[in-house]
Amino acid sequence: MKKNYEPKSTEVDIYKRWEDSGFFEAKPDESKEPFCIMIPPPNVTGTLHMGHGFQNTLMDALIRFKRMSGYDTLWQVGVDHAGIATQMVVERQLEIEGTSREEIGREQFEKKVWDWKEKSGNKITQQLRRLGASVDWSREAFTMSDDLSLAVKQVFIKLYDEGLIYRGERLVNWDTVLGTALSDLEVSSEEENGFLWYIDYLTENNNKITVATTRPETLLGDTAIAVNPEDHKFKKLIGKKAIVPIVNREIPIISDDYVDSDFGTGCVKITPAHDFNDFEMGKRHKLPIINILNFDGTLNETTPDQYHGLSVNEARDLILKELEDLGQLKKTEPYRVQIPRSERSNSILQPLVTNQWFVNVKTLSEEAIRVVKDDETQFVPKNWENTYFNWMDDIQDWCISRQLWWGHRIPAWFDSEGNIYVGESEEGVRKKYKLDARELQQEDDVLDTWFSSALWTFSTLGWPKDENLLSRYHPTSVLVTGFDIIFFWVARMIMMTTHFINEVPFKKILIHGLIKDSEGQKMSKSKGNTLDPLDIIDGIDLDSLLEKRTDGLMQPKMKEQIIKQTKKEFPEGIKSYGTDALRLTFCSLASGGRDINFDIKRVEGYRNFCNKLWNAARFIDLNIANFGIADNRSKTEIDAWIDYKFNETLKKVNKSFDEYRFDLATKAIYEFIWYEFCDWFIEMHKISFSEENINPSEVVRSMVHVLEKTLRLAHPIMPFITEEIWNQFKNHHQSSSKSLMLCDYPQEAKNCIEDDFKRIEWLKAIVSGIRNIRGELSIKPSIKIAATFKGGNSGDELNLDKVSSYVKKLSSLKSINWTNNESQDPPSSIFTLGKLKVMIPLEGLIDAKEESERLNKKINKISKEKEMLSSKLSNKNFTENAPKELVESQKDRFSTLEIELENLNRQMTEIKKLI
């Protein structure tokens, strides 16, 4: 074996071997229990971010665990066509080429998108490979493929025929930059600084009524003024008329419970065409709808001539000037305004009345709510179902049409009279509706990307074709996803799947938190705190990292701040840590739905862990050369003990995987490998090589045996290094598998009894106690010291008799003296194990005065902390109101301090005897 493990040069080769050998492919086998995971399809335009890395690591660990545990596994992979994002990318390319989609036409534009997809659109799938994702690439799906497009058409047609899809004129969120409607879920609303303008409207008897608004430009479309019926100030005005300034249109003054009397003056202007609440009020009061906007966000010809073609902001400025000139702008106040922005273009959205296609999701939601209530599908953690129910109970019809060219074109045709015909093709429509030769025109709009994604679990398995894998792999076993797409995707999948194939899409829904930076801040380009998983895996120099973090940033101050922050955080760039170290980090942080603070130092710690495992394997490999390897393993108490420890770890790991506690599985594996396997098993057996009556080659066999099953145990979480070590030992372990990933996962043993090897735990406790004393007294490992054992029982004497050579060598002792003499003990540093007292005589080992001063400082420091904690724990305000976990941790700390203080005082007593 090489001296050092080199992940960068090793991992790519290992993955290629796995993929080329077809090891990831599902092989339907009725004799095995199925286990299926559907990858949340990333956008075809996307690149791997930390959230993807985290999510896919969890899925891969789970699928590898189940594959090795004998399940018939399928991890379905695929990408989403990402209608808006992809169209934007290709339109930008056309702009660079000096043309546009309108110039080249729809057919040529679609061809351009497909060309882009083939050349540049699969970057994220290559990145998934680098992460080690063992997905079935032979079944890679694409939401615009022929098979999935067929499923989309079938679903649309059936829902339309059932009256669950309809076309109607509704107020929608309109993105004026992209020129399309968006669903409510594609809108992000945040408070921004704005103003509240108070405008005087004249009433029919030439009095004034003042309204407050944050959008004065919309007054051009006002069709009413509204007051609350309980507001006595305005009761006399209800039923009267007011005049809209500038356009001089007469509008009614109406009453409606929705009006908040505390907002502004208590009077509000009503613009049904450009405000969602006003639209609903307009329906209740049968108000006319006056649309003042073009699709590009400029003002249209329903407005006065001077406003035609102005942008919203330009129109606002002119309105305010005209109102001021008229003396009807009463006052202006600063105000925090909720601004709806497009999550795609970041432009301010305009509510606009347009003809769109909608799904009646209220009807579909009933079964989707029931299956969660009846635990047919379960959220993990369970509390996320409350979020699901809250949204489902108040669900609004889903706007599914988008004014784009890239996507599933809606399978609907219109005749010259506006009649709608829905079917798979024009020929199919004519046959279905028995139409004559009248001219038909297909709908230009495409479907919302999330419409095809909602069919993901059953369309990727072959539906609606007769030959499909639904009976084998559906419902799928678990969906691993972030809470941020419960509404976008999870709820819609449940609705569509229960409606079309009468079963849930997945049995469990594992919800994970967001990956944040080490300070708990959300990662974003503007904050300059984003990390690329591949940079952590393969490393990146400082200049390249700075270029990546500042690319596209326009503000010099922000750029300067990010450069400064990055240089401080990564003065030499990011080192190459390898995939396994990153995967271990992700799994160690997956603790049940909470947001995750990511710290690169943790990755460094897990890289050291990988190196520790590699060095242990290399030591074993060297000793095969030194001693050979026997057919049978040694059967010492050390071997029995490590088998027991392994079995206990295996139980913890199995339980953790079953409960989706990847953090606990990682912890159990880490502690076994680092502490039990490396620090104790190998260290003890180093001594066994020179012991009489122990065959070194059998010890080597035992080491190889334990290493091999440890590699199988750890493989799902750290697949690359375990595969590489396993291959290094393939001539020595007794497995016929072509790869570690195809080996059986270890089986729990039923006959491991702790009583059979308690002596090893006794040995560990003695050695640890002596090592602690050496550490406290700063005695170098090279200095051999004496130890005196006193008291105890016959069991302690027997233990020492059996393992004294191990105690001496592991503790670096020159001698062990056993005494039951009742005379005064020499000044010693002491620890106890039961009734056994282990003493390290201090004379000649330390400078008593110097050690006394050091201990005094430590005793004072701990005493102060103990006193502070005592005061805190005596305070009922803290114990009754602080989080339970915090109170418990403080109590544990107090107990630890008590023990530590007791030991220090005992040491001080002994040292004083030497002064």
Side-chain angles (χ1 to χ4, degrees), residues 90-227:
V90 178
E91 285 201 76
R92 277 198 292 267
Q93 284 190 349
L94 291 175
E95 196 179 331
I96 292 166
E97 294 167 15
T99 185
S100 67
R101 67 182 168 107
E102 289 81 9
E103 280 186 33
I104 65 173
R106 185 165 192 153
E107 190 177 332
Q108 278 303 306
F109 179 75
E110 287 178 356
K111 186 176 180 300
K112 284 268 188 188
V113 179
W114 279 105
D115 289 345
W116 174 86
K117 190 258 177 191
E118 293 309 311
K119 289 174 189 170
S120 312
N122 294 317
K123 186 176 180 182
I124 198 160
T125 59
Q126 295 306 317
Q127 292 174 321
L128 280 173
R129 288 171 166 88
R130 193 66 192 85
L131 197 66
S134 59
V135 295
D136 187 346
W137 292 111
S138 70
R139 295 182 50 80
E140 185 178 352
F142 181 50
T143 50
M144 283 288 285
S145 68
D146 290 344
D147 286 346
L148 270 64
S149 294
L150 173 64
V152 169
K153 279 185 181 177
Q154 293 276 323
V155 166
F156 185 94
I157 293 164
K158 188 168 189 290
L159 288 174
Y160 181 81
D161 290 345
E162 291 173 344
L164 294 174
I165 281 182
Y166 62 92
R167 188 172 187 264
E169 197 172 57
R170 297 284 187 280
L171 196 63
V172 296
N173 299 294
W174 187 263
D175 188 322
T176 57
V177 172
L178 299 175
T180 183
L182 300 177
S183 76
D184 293 343
L185 293 177
E186 293 167 296
V187 180
S188 61
S189 289
E190 289 187 12
E191 275 197 351
E192 298 181 18
N193 289 326
F195 294 96
L196 195 57
W197 287 277
Y198 290 78
I199 302 169
D200 289 335
Y201 285 55
L202 298 177
T203 61
E204 53 194 327
N205 54 7
N206 224 25
N207 288 325
K208 290 179 181 177
I209 182 170
T210 307
V211 302
T213 180
T214 58
R215 298 167 67 210
E217 66 282 359
T218 61
L219 71 73
L220 300 174
D222 284 358
T223 56
I225 286 176
V227 298

Side-chain angles (χ1 to χ4, degrees), residues 292-420:
I292 65 167
L293 292 177
N294 296 311
F295 289 137
D296 64 359
T298 58
L299 272 70
N300 63 25
E301 294 184 359
T302 64
T303 61
D305 292 349
Q306 67 268 33
Y307 290 93
H308 294 180
L310 296 185
S311 70
V312 167
N313 286 336
E314 289 168 341
R316 178 178 292 181
D317 291 342
L318 183 55
I319 288 246
L320 293 171
K321 183 180 183 305
E322 288 203 41
L323 287 171
E324 203 160 11
D325 292 344
L326 290 167
Q328 288 181 261
L329 182 60
K330 190 170 185 178
K331 64 174 178 175
T332 304
E333 291 177 350
Y335 193 75
R336 294 286 287 171
V337 188
Q338 282 286 130
I339 302 291
R341 290 188 178 273
S342 164
E343 289 205 330
R344 297 295 180 186
S345 67
N346 199 41
S347 63
I348 295 175
L349 295 171
Q350 297 297 334
L352 204 62
V353 176
T354 61
N355 266 312
Q356 301 291 342
W357 293 85
F358 296 86
V359 178
N360 175 0
V361 283
K362 196 70 181 172
T363 301
L364 294 174
S365 70
E366 291 170 7
E367 181 65 3
I369 290 169
R370 184 198 66 78
V371 295
V372 175
K373 283 186 173 174
D374 291 351
D375 283 342
E376 289 179 33
T377 187
Q378 298 174 329
F379 280 88
V380 181
K382 191 172 175 62
N383 61 286
W384 283 109
E385 70 179 29
N386 296 326
T387 305
Y388 173 81
F389 289 139
N390 288 341
W391 186 69
M392 293 294 271
D393 289 340
D394 193 35
I395 199 166
Q396 303 297 311
D397 283 1
W398 173 17
C399 176
I400 55 169
S401 45
R402 297 291 180 271
Q403 288 64 52
L404 303 169
W405 284 1
W406 173 243
H408 296 101
R409 194 168 178 181
I410 291 173
W413 281 258
F414 304 95
D415 62 18
S416 58
E417 295 174 4
N419 295 311
I420 299 171

Side-chain angles (χ1 to χ4, degrees), residues 378-652:
Q378 298 174 329
F379 280 88
V380 181
K382 191 172 175 62
N383 61 286
W384 283 109
E385 70 179 29
N386 296 326
T387 305
Y388 173 81
F389 289 139
N390 288 341
W391 186 69
M392 293 294 271
D393 289 340
D394 193 35
I395 199 166
Q396 303 297 311
D397 283 1
W398 173 17
C399 176
I400 55 169
S401 45
R402 297 291 180 271
Q403 288 64 52
L404 303 169
W405 284 1
W406 173 243
H408 296 101
R409 194 168 178 181
I410 291 173
W413 281 258
F414 304 95
D415 62 18
S416 58
E417 295 174 4
N419 295 311
I420 299 171
Y421 308 99
V422 170
E424 285 191 29
S425 62
E426 185 177 334
E427 184 184 349
V429 159
R430 291 186 183 279
K431 189 175 178 183
K432 177 180 176 181
Y433 291 93
K434 300 180 175 59
L435 297 178
D436 51 28
R438 74 186 72 177
E439 188 179 338
L440 295 177
Q441 181 68 43
Q442 188 178 355
E443 168 68 271
D444 284 327
D445 292 355
V446 300
L447 288 165
D448 177 10
T449 299
W450 292 102
F451 189 90
S452 50
S453 300
L455 322 180
W456 189 245
T457 66
F458 60 96
S459 62
T460 53
L461 291 175
W463 187 92
K465 293 181 177 178
D466 292 333
E467 286 187 21
N468 60 60
L469 290 172
L470 287 170
S471 62
R472 176 91 285 247
Y473 296 115
H474 207 280
T476 63
S477 306
V478 61
L479 175 74
V480 181
T481 189
F483 67 81
D484 51 330
I485 56 172
I486 289 176
F487 313 131
F488 278 113
W489 193 45
V490 178
R492 289 166 176 172
M493 277 198 288
I494 297 173
M495 286 190 282
M496 290 295 197
T497 313
T498 52
H499 188 74
F500 281 93
I501 61 173
N502 300 313
E503 62 185 25
V504 295
F506 19 72
K507 296 167 189 170
K508 297 279 176 72
I509 306 161
L510 178 61
I511 301 293
H512 61 72
L514 295 177
I515 297 277
K516 297 183 174 179
D517 70 10
S518 58
E519 306 283 316
Q521 296 290 312
K522 191 175 179 181
M523 290 188 178
S524 72
K525 183 84 176 175
S526 61
K527 288 178 183 167
N529 60 353
T530 57
L531 286 168
D532 182 336
L534 267 62
D535 292 341
I536 297 170
I537 290 170
D538 291 326
I540 184 171
D541 63 75
L542 180 60
D543 288 342
S544 301
L545 181 61
L546 290 171
E547 187 180 340
K548 184 180 277 194
R549 282 190 162 185
T550 57
D551 180 44
L553 292 177
M554 306 303 289
Q555 298 176 21
K557 277 189 179 177
M558 183 187 288
K559 206 167 181 177
E560 189 182 321
Q561 178 62 33
I562 288 169
I563 289 171
K564 186 178 175 184
Q565 175 186 315
T566 302
K567 284 182 174 179
K568 183 180 177 184
E569 191 177 5
F570 302 109
E572 297 174 4
I574 299 174
K575 295 174 187 173
S576 169
Y577 292 105
T579 303
D580 290 319
L582 181 60
R583 286 172 61 113
L584 281 157
T585 304
F586 281 145
C587 287
S588 74
L589 293 167
S591 57
R594 292 191 291 271
D595 285 349
I596 291 134
N597 292 357
F598 186 90
D599 191 339
I600 202 79
K601 291 189 183 74
R602 192 182 276 252
V603 187
E604 195 167 326
Y606 281 114
R607 183 199 58 188
N608 295 341
F609 172 65
C610 291
N611 290 340
K612 178 106 170 171
L613 177 60
W614 180 265
N615 291 335
R618 187 166 172 269
F619 172 79
I620 296 168
D621 186 51
L622 290 170
N623 279 291
I624 292 174
N626 291 340
F627 299 108
I629 183 167
D631 292 335
N632 299 312
R633 63 184 294 213
S634 51
K635 294 181 179 177
T636 66
E637 284 182 286
I638 296 168
D639 300 303
W641 166 81
I642 197 66
D643 287 345
Y644 172 78
K645 285 293 182 183
F646 179 87
N647 201 53
E648 290 302 296
T649 302
L650 177 59
K651 286 178 186 175
K652 289 177 189 174

Side-chain angles (χ1 to χ4, degrees), residues 691-702:
E691 289 291 291
E692 292 181 13
N693 305 319
I694 295 180
N695 182 340
S697 66
E698 289 183 351
V699 171
V700 172
R701 167 58 68 193
S702 185

Side-chain angles (χ1 to χ4, degrees), residues 755-851:
D755 288 347
D756 291 349
F757 36 81
K758 279 190 172 176
R759 182 170 294 131
I760 303 302
E761 289 300 325
W762 182 92
L763 163 64
K764 283 173 62 187
I766 295 293
V767 172
S768 297
I770 296 171
R771 285 176 174 175
N772 287 340
I773 290 173
R774 296 182 74 106
E776 286 166 4
L777 300 176
S778 301
I779 301 169
K780 294 176 183 175
S782 58
I783 298 173
K784 293 194 178 294
I785 58 176
T788 299
F789 287 39
K790 185 175 181 180
N793 55 38
S794 58
D796 292 318
E797 289 192 57
L798 180 61
N799 285 339
L800 184 60
D801 181 56
K802 295 283 187 183
V803 296
S804 61
S805 61
Y806 290 89
V807 173
K808 277 184 179 178
K809 288 174 183 173
L810 291 169
S811 307
S812 194
L813 299 180
K814 60 185 176 186
S815 64
I816 298 174
N817 175 43
W818 187 287
T819 179
N820 287 311
N821 195 328
E822 293 300 324
S823 61
Q824 181 70 39
D825 297 328
S828 304
S829 193
I830 303 165
F831 80 92
T832 57
L833 184 62
K835 294 182 178 179
L836 176 65
K837 187 190 287 186
V838 178
M839 300 178 288
I840 305 299
L842 295 173
E843 194 165 4
L845 275 181
I846 59 167
D847 181 317
K849 191 176 178 184
E850 194 178 285
E851 184 62 17

